[in-house]
Amino acid sequence: QVQLVESGGGLVQAGGSLRLSCAASGRLSFINDMGWYRQAPGKQRELVAVITSRGTTNYAESVKGRFTISRDNAKNTVYLQMNSLKPEDTSVYYCNADVRYYDLGLRTLDAWGQGTLVTVSS
């Protein structure tokens, strides 16, 4: 019905950059907030950044000034540009979206991607 597919993770040295992408597909009507979360081994999942449908953004303090979230509403895609990466940014990054979709009527879903691993070496 609704799928979020992430891409762009990988291994990078400290100080480097990566760009994550997440594309939503399905019988979509509207996507409200889109965001990125991350979860390191043994830790709880935490919010990294979120962007509303109108482009308002919010960031975790730990990534402010280094990460930039953006979206392309025509492509139902959200991006996370990560610069000046640190070893402590190593995590599985998950895409999240508040989705309205059609399935015998209009439905709401808090959708999650499968996660993409980002590893930052020191």
Short mmCIF file of all heavy atoms in Angstrom, two decimals, residues 2 12 15 24 28 50 55-60 63 87 103 107 109 120 122:
data_model
loop_
_atom_site.label_atom_id
_atom_site.label_comp_id
_atom_site.label_asym_id
_atom_site.label_seq_id
_atom_site.Cartn_x
_atom_site.Cartn_y
_atom_site.Cartn_z
N VAL A 2 1.63 1.44 1.04
CA VAL A 2 2.54 2.57 1.15
C VAL A 2 3.91 2.04 1.48
O VAL A 2 4.06 1.22 2.39
CB VAL A 2 2.09 3.57 2.23
CG1 VAL A 2 3.12 4.67 2.40
CG2 VAL A 2 0.73 4.16 1.88
N VAL A 12 31.83 6.20 5.74
CA VAL A 12 32.51 7.45 5.43
C VAL A 12 33.46 7.78 6.57
O VAL A 12 33.22 7.38 7.72
CB VAL A 12 31.48 8.59 5.21
CG1 VAL A 12 30.70 8.87 6.48
CG2 VAL A 12 32.13 9.83 4.66
N GLY A 15 34.36 13.69 9.28
CA GLY A 15 34.53 14.92 8.52
C GLY A 15 33.92 14.87 7.13
O GLY A 15 33.80 15.90 6.46
N ALA A 24 8.65 7.91 -1.04
CA ALA A 24 7.38 7.29 -0.68
C ALA A 24 6.63 6.90 -1.95
O ALA A 24 6.63 7.64 -2.94
CB ALA A 24 6.54 8.24 0.15
N LEU A 28 -0.94 7.45 -2.82
CA LEU A 28 -0.78 8.56 -1.89
C LEU A 28 -1.73 9.70 -2.19
O LEU A 28 -1.97 10.02 -3.34
CB LEU A 28 0.66 9.07 -1.93
CG LEU A 28 1.74 8.04 -1.68
CD1 LEU A 28 3.12 8.65 -1.87
CD2 LEU A 28 1.62 7.47 -0.27
N VAL A 50 13.09 16.85 11.12
CA VAL A 50 11.75 16.71 10.59
C VAL A 50 11.45 17.92 9.73
O VAL A 50 11.96 19.03 9.99
CB VAL A 50 10.71 16.54 11.71
CG1 VAL A 50 10.65 17.77 12.59
CG2 VAL A 50 9.34 16.19 11.16
N GLY A 55 7.62 23.03 4.55
CA GLY A 55 9.05 23.27 4.56
C GLY A 55 9.63 23.74 5.87
O GLY A 55 10.84 24.04 5.94
N THR A 56 8.84 23.80 6.91
CA THR A 56 9.38 24.15 8.22
C THR A 56 10.20 22.98 8.76
O THR A 56 9.75 21.83 8.70
CB THR A 56 8.25 24.48 9.20
OG1 THR A 56 7.48 25.56 8.67
CG2 THR A 56 8.81 24.87 10.57
N THR A 57 11.38 23.29 9.28
CA THR A 57 12.28 22.23 9.72
C THR A 57 12.58 22.33 11.21
O THR A 57 12.47 23.39 11.83
CB THR A 57 13.61 22.30 8.95
OG1 THR A 57 14.21 23.58 9.17
CG2 THR A 57 13.39 22.09 7.47
N ASN A 58 12.98 21.20 11.77
CA ASN A 58 13.40 21.12 13.15
C ASN A 58 14.49 20.07 13.25
O ASN A 58 14.40 19.02 12.59
CB ASN A 58 12.22 20.76 14.06
CG ASN A 58 12.54 20.97 15.52
OD1 ASN A 58 13.34 21.84 15.87
ND2 ASN A 58 11.92 20.19 16.38
N TYR A 59 15.51 20.34 14.06
CA TYR A 59 16.66 19.45 14.15
C TYR A 59 16.98 19.10 15.59
O TYR A 59 16.77 19.89 16.51
CB TYR A 59 17.90 20.12 13.54
CG TYR A 59 17.81 20.40 12.07
CD1 TYR A 59 17.32 21.62 11.62
CD2 TYR A 59 18.20 19.46 11.13
CE1 TYR A 59 17.23 21.90 10.26
CE2 TYR A 59 18.12 19.72 9.77
CZ TYR A 59 17.63 20.94 9.35
OH TYR A 59 17.55 21.21 8.00
N ALA A 60 17.56 17.93 15.77
CA ALA A 60 18.15 17.60 17.05
C ALA A 60 19.36 18.51 17.28
O ALA A 60 20.06 18.87 16.33
CB ALA A 60 18.59 16.14 17.07
N VAL A 63 22.82 17.70 15.74
CA VAL A 63 23.10 17.75 14.30
C VAL A 63 22.92 19.14 13.71
O VAL A 63 23.19 19.35 12.53
CB VAL A 63 22.24 16.74 13.52
CG1 VAL A 63 22.39 15.34 14.09
CG2 VAL A 63 20.78 17.16 13.49
N PRO A 87 32.05 10.17 14.35
CA PRO A 87 31.83 8.75 14.68
C PRO A 87 30.54 8.52 15.46
O PRO A 87 29.89 7.48 15.28
CB PRO A 87 33.07 8.40 15.51
CG PRO A 87 34.12 9.30 14.97
CD PRO A 87 33.42 10.61 14.66
N ASP A 103 -7.24 3.58 0.29
CA ASP A 103 -7.46 2.14 0.38
C ASP A 103 -8.90 1.95 0.84
O ASP A 103 -9.18 1.91 2.03
CB ASP A 103 -6.49 1.48 1.35
CG ASP A 103 -6.67 -0.02 1.42
OD1 ASP A 103 -7.37 -0.58 0.55
OD2 ASP A 103 -6.11 -0.65 2.34
N ARG A 107 -7.10 6.90 4.21
CA ARG A 107 -6.57 6.38 5.47
C ARG A 107 -5.31 7.13 5.86
O ARG A 107 -4.69 7.81 5.04
CB ARG A 107 -6.27 4.89 5.34
CG ARG A 107 -7.49 4.05 5.02
CD ARG A 107 -7.15 2.57 4.92
NE ARG A 107 -8.32 1.77 4.57
CZ ARG A 107 -9.16 1.28 5.46
NH1 ARG A 107 -8.99 1.50 6.75
NH2 ARG A 107 -10.19 0.56 5.06
N LEU A 109 -1.48 6.81 7.86
CA LEU A 109 -0.45 5.85 8.24
C LEU A 109 0.79 6.59 8.71
O LEU A 109 1.25 7.53 8.05
CB LEU A 109 -0.09 4.95 7.06
CG LEU A 109 1.01 3.92 7.31
CD1 LEU A 109 0.54 2.88 8.34
CD2 LEU A 109 1.42 3.25 6.02
N VAL A 120 30.49 5.94 10.44
CA VAL A 120 31.50 6.99 10.35
C VAL A 120 32.74 6.51 11.08
O VAL A 120 32.70 6.27 12.29
CB VAL A 120 31.00 8.31 10.95
CG1 VAL A 120 32.04 9.41 10.74
CG2 VAL A 120 29.67 8.71 10.33
N SER A 122 36.66 6.82 12.49
CA SER A 122 37.49 7.90 13.05
C SER A 122 38.88 7.91 12.43
O SER A 122 39.25 7.01 11.70
CB SER A 122 37.60 7.74 14.56
OG SER A 122 38.10 6.47 14.88
#
